[in-house]
Structure formats: C-alpha cells, structure tokens
Amino acid sequence: MQYIIGVDAGGTKTSCEAYSLEGKLLSSATSSFGSVVVDKKEALRNIKTGIDECRDSLTASECKGIVVGAAGAETGNALKEIESYLSKYYDTKIIVTNDAKLAMYGYLEGKDGILLISGTGSIGYGKKGNIIERCGGWGHLIDDKGSGYHIAMEAIRCIVKERDERREFSNLSEKILKHMGIDKIKYLIDFVYNSPKGQIASIVPIILNEAEKNDKTAIDILVRAGQHLFDIIKTLYNSMNFSNGYVTFSGSIMKIPLVRNTVIHRMKNELPNLRLLEKQCSPTIGGYYIFIEESSI
C-alpha cells in the first residue's frame, strides 16, 4: 500500500505518522526533539529515527513522499539542510516546511481558511489557494496580544496600577503575588524581568479561576484577549479578500471558554461567511494534505 509520512518536528519531540493515499492512519512513531534551533545535528538524527520507526511495519519502496514541518525551519538555511539530509537516506519526494504550515493544513484539512493559534504566544495563518499569509506572532516583546503571556501581563499591570493608586490589592492580585512567591511589591520587577515567558504565562489558570468566580477584572482581561485574537482573524480575512472559508483554533488559550466564545461571537456577527471547524487532529495529517496538494494526486 502506498503511503505518505507526515513529520511534526517540534522543540521537545518529533511525531511521525504514515497515511494511505486516502488519508487513513497506518502507523506512527515518536522520537526526541526535531527543531534544528535546539541542536541541528541531533535534531536531524531524531527526525530520521522517527521516520525509520514509522516505516518499520511498512514497505519502504511504497513511500510516495515525506513531508516535514519543523520548528525553526525558516531560520537560516534550515529548510534546505533538512531536505538535503533526508534525501541522502530516502529515495522519495521530500517536502520541508515550518511546523505552523503543517498544523494549518492539518487543522483546515487542506481547505482555504484561517488557523488561529494562542498558547504562550499568538499568531494567525491564512490560506487561500497557494497563497499563505500570517498575522501576529511577533514575540512577547513586540506584540503577542491575546496570548497567555499577554493575558498574564495584563493582570500584572493591574497589580502595579493598584499599587500606584494606593489601593488595596484585589483578591486576584493577592493570589497572583502568592503564586509568584512575592511578599513585597518591589520583587515583582525582578520576577517579570528575570523569568522566562512560560513562567509568567503560568499565572493564566489563576486568572481563569477568578473569572469563574465572577471577578470582573479577570473576566475583562479574558474578554479583551478574545477581542485581540478576533482582530487577527479579521485582519487576515480582509487582507486576503476572503468571501468565505473556514476558521479553526489551536493552543491552550483557545480552550478557555470566555476567550473562545468572545472570538466566536464576533465571528458570527462580523464575518458570518466563515465556518468554524471544530476537528482536533495531529498536525502530521497536514503533511498528507500538503503532499496531495503539491503532487496533484
């Protein structure tokens, strides 16, 4: 049986899955990180290990192609380096792209539309025919509105505003400070400037918990995040001249009801021609759709 292998090469692990030409999952394997930004030589070996294990139960000569979506693939000459490395070992068509494109094709099932991602960071990708555009994703120091980091920083700004206005700390602020292990406000500066963004974003569950208890500040922060994320969708919709299409979500922040529902509500009111795809899938299926599109099978 002929098949295609999709590879999601991320910063912590590499997922490889083989699909029949009809899109049926045939086999899967997992290896260590595949991001060349972490360690190029080791990442390349890990990608090959995953592919080899994925092919163990299949016939090597029936592999029609391998599609790799790798984190950091657009850094320097990484795309060509990954393709060149794999071409030495596999006599089949090799396609290498970034992990975001792989995910977009997977979540959208190869259809035209928009993928909105919000986790620690945020970004949107639009696909219309063979045209792909992005919006956002400039990093937390420039603009990651609607992301977990941005949500956390909104709450931290409320803390310093309360301090500057000589007001008592709110219940939300008290819980965030306790979570940070901060007993004096002056230490907040050290925490923000010396902590990785993932650690700062880790206060989002506290904000969510307080929002569920009807804390107005927490609710407002999450609703604003949804508004910012909708703006990403609307920008792509307008810039790419969509008249219809699909939207799908990915990332932990998009699982927060207040954020998600805010985005959906504005979509229904302002972009009614966009249809929401609720399907959850492995990004590796994006490799299948990319190969089918590029090979005209």
Side-chain angles (χ1 to χ4, degrees):
M1 178 184 291
Q2 294 182 323
Y3 60 92
I4 300 155
I5 295 179
V7 181
D8 180 23
T12 56
K13 71 175 183 177
T14 297
S15 299
C16 303
E17 294 185 312
Y19 298 90
S20 70
L21 299 188
E22 292 72 40
K24 179 183 177 182
L25 178 64
L26 302 176
S27 68
S28 61
T30 303
S31 59
S32 191
F33 69 87
S35 172
V36 294
V37 175
V38 179
D39 183 313
K40 185 187 299 182
K41 290 183 178 180
E42 187 65 25
L44 292 172
R45 285 194 292 266
N46 292 336
I47 292 171
K48 182 180 182 299
T49 296
I51 293 171
D52 289 343
E53 291 180 2
C54 187
R55 294 203 313 175
D56 274 350
S57 60
L58 303 170
T59 304
S61 61
E62 291 186 339
C63 181
K64 295 285 289 182
I66 298 171
V67 182
V68 179
E74 293 179 333
T75 303
N77 203 35
L79 288 171
K80 290 184 177 179
E81 289 177 339
I82 297 171
E83 181 181 355
S84 176
Y85 177 84
L86 295 178
S87 295
K88 293 188 296 184
Y89 299 99
Y90 308 109
D91 184 21
T92 190
K93 184 173 183 178
I94 307 290
I95 300 172
V96 183
T97 185
N98 61 60
D99 56 339
K101 180 178 178 180
L102 189 80
M104 179 179 67
Y105 270 76
Y107 281 98
L108 288 172
E109 301 174 339
K111 300 180 177 75
D112 287 350
I114 296 167
L115 168 64
L116 176 64
I117 305 171
S118 182
T120 301
S122 63
I123 192 169
Y125 285 91
K127 175 186 178 299
K128 187 176 183 184
N130 60 358
I131 298 173
I132 295 175
E133 293 187 7
R134 61 174 273 183
C135 179
W138 300 111
H140 67 291
L141 293 180
I142 300 176
D143 182 16
D144 252 347
K145 287 183 178 178
S147 68
Y149 177 87
H150 184 261
I151 289 171
M153 287 304 302
E154 288 274 86
I156 289 172
R157 291 185 185 103
C158 288
I159 294 175
V160 297
K161 188 172 189 294
E162 289 168 357
R163 171 65 179 80
D164 285 344
E165 294 178 353
R166 304 301 188 268
R167 291 186 281 131
E168 288 189 11
F169 290 133
S170 66
N171 190 50
L172 174 63
S173 296
E174 291 279 9
K175 290 192 173 182
I176 291 172
L177 290 169
K178 183 178 179 180
H179 171 81
M180 294 175 176
I182 294 173
D183 57 0
K184 293 183 179 180
I185 191 66
K186 65 180 181 180
Y187 297 129
L188 182 63
I189 297 173
D190 290 336
F191 177 86
V192 171
Y193 282 92
N194 295 312
S195 299
K197 62 181 182 179
Q199 186 176 352
I200 293 172
S202 71
I203 71 174
V204 169
I206 298 172
I207 300 168
L208 173 58
N209 186 58
E210 291 306 302
E212 290 172 345
K213 296 177 182 177
N214 293 319
D215 182 284
K216 184 179 183 304
T217 299
I219 290 172
D220 288 346
I221 288 171
L222 295 176
V223 168
R224 281 199 302 272
Q227 306 283 12
H228 290 312
L229 292 169
F230 172 77
D231 288 341
I232 292 175
I233 294 175
K234 189 172 183 179
T235 298
L236 287 168
Y237 182 91
N238 290 332
S239 68
M240 298 183 75
N241 295 313
F242 279 106
S243 56
N244 51 48
Y246 295 87
V247 172
T248 188
F249 304 143
S250 178
S252 58
I253 299 303
M254 296 312 302
K255 296 176 182 177
I256 297 176
L258 262 177
V259 176
R260 184 184 182 88
N261 292 340
T262 298
V263 175
I264 292 173
H265 177 74
R266 288 196 61 186
M267 277 175 52
K268 289 180 177 178
N269 288 338
E270 299 177 44
L271 305 175
N273 291 333
L274 284 179
R275 294 173 59 188
L276 180 63
L277 280 177
E278 296 278 9
K279 180 180 177 182
Q280 295 296 309
C281 65
S282 166
T284 60
I285 188 66
Y288 166 80
Y289 288 113
I290 290 171
F291 186 88
I292 293 298
E293 180 178 280
E294 294 198 13
S295 303
S296 300
I297 293 178

